[in-house]
Amino acid sequence: MTEQFPPPGPQPTGPSPEQPTSQAELNRRAREAKATAKANKNWFARHKVLTGVGAVAVLGVVGGAMGSGGDEPAAAEGQAPAVEQADATEASGADDQVSTETTSDEAATAETTVGIGDTVRDGKFEFTVTDVEDGVSSVGDQYFGEEAQGQFVLVHMKVENIGDEAQYFMGDNQYLHDSEGKQYSADTEAAIYLDEAESLLSEINPGNTVEGVVVFDVPTKADLDSIELHDSAFSGGATVDLD
């Protein structure tokens, strides 16, 4: 009898998978597959709180980096930074202020400067210098008079009492100044020989005005600058420019 063999076919190349032997084994493998799938889920999906915190931190860092570049625009070529421009503006403003104050001071000085023919006040008196004679060699006449040591300077003025009571005008309270800052006192002895008696001493009632001449004996080369007028020996004085 001839032996029968099965027809040739593909043969398995590796070990055949282990086949479950029971329902319990099938259930065990199913549980393992489920656990593996659960373990392989996205880590970030399982840690939502940490993921949110990390995202906020990352956004904060990125925003800070972007913001730091936009705090202060870059200066254009040839243009000073904003801080330097601000300092320059403040300095310019300070210079303008100093210039304005200087101009105001000069204007105020110009307004307070008075000359011959102008009126100025000191205390209870209002003075107006009307004329100045210099180069006078003597005063008086051939019988009674006085010769100048240098030259006599005769300052003609009006004096009005603007106070509420009588006040004495005295020539000795007036002072002459030259361009070098030298101060000259009045020559009351020479004033005696003038016809204008008010030059020496005169009592002026409120509202009244007297005209007088104050005499000074100064060097012939003196460059006269101003006269300082006082209503008394203790008053502040007022200056009249004689240039």
Side-chain angles (χ1 to χ4, degrees), residues 120-127 160-163 167 229-232 235-238:
V120 66
R121 292 184 178 185
D122 179 67
K124 298 179 181 179
F125 286 162
E126 187 174 81
F127 300 90
E160 179 183 356
N161 186 342
I162 58 175
Q167 179 83 2
L229 304 171
H230 295 262
D231 82 329
S232 70
S235 67

Side-chain angles (χ1 to χ4, degrees), residues 24-222:
E25 181 67 17
L26 290 175
N27 293 338
R28 184 184 65 78
R29 291 188 178 186
R31 288 194 300 272
E32 291 179 354
K34 186 176 180 180
T36 301
K38 185 176 181 180
N40 288 335
K41 283 185 177 181
N42 189 305
W43 187 89
F44 293 103
R46 292 187 293 109
H47 297 82
K48 293 181 180 180
V49 175
L50 294 179
T51 301
V53 173
V56 171
V58 171
L59 290 175
V61 172
V62 173
M66 295 178 64
S68 63
D71 289 343
E72 182 176 341
E77 183 177 355
Q79 181 179 359
V83 175
E84 295 181 3
Q85 289 181 352
D87 293 342
T89 301
E90 292 177 359
S92 177
D95 291 341
D96 292 341
Q97 183 177 359
V98 171
S99 177
T100 302
E101 292 176 353
T102 302
T103 303
S104 300
D105 292 342
E106 293 175 351
T109 302
E111 291 177 358
T112 56
T113 300
V114 296
I116 297 175
D118 296 328
T119 299
V120 66
R121 292 184 178 185
D122 179 67
K124 298 179 181 179
F125 286 162
E126 187 174 81
F127 300 90
T128 304
V129 176
T130 58
D131 190 23
V132 177
E133 296 180 65
D134 58 0
V136 178
S137 59
S138 63
V139 292
D141 55 32
Q142 58 180 340
Y143 302 107
F144 300 98
E146 185 171 339
E147 297 287 332
Q149 297 174 353
Q151 63 169 332
F152 286 125
V153 177
L154 281 55
V155 181
H156 298 253
M157 65 182 69
K158 294 179 180 180
V159 183
E160 179 183 356
N161 186 342
I162 58 175
D164 298 327
E165 58 186 12
Q167 179 83 2
Y168 278 97
F169 168 77
M170 299 181 63
D172 274 345
N173 292 334
Q174 321 312 318
Y175 301 97
L176 198 64
H177 295 269
D178 65 14
S179 58
E180 296 180 356
K182 296 178 181 179
Q183 176 176 290
Y184 304 97
S185 298
D187 189 340
T188 54
E189 292 183 4
I192 295 175
Y193 301 104
L194 296 178
D195 293 334
E196 297 87 346
E198 292 83 357
S199 308
L200 180 61
L201 177 66
S202 180
E203 184 179 20
I204 308 174
N205 280 319
N208 286 345
T209 301
V210 299
E211 296 185 13
V213 180
V214 181
V215 182
F216 298 90
D217 190 348
V218 302
T220 56
K221 295 182 179 180

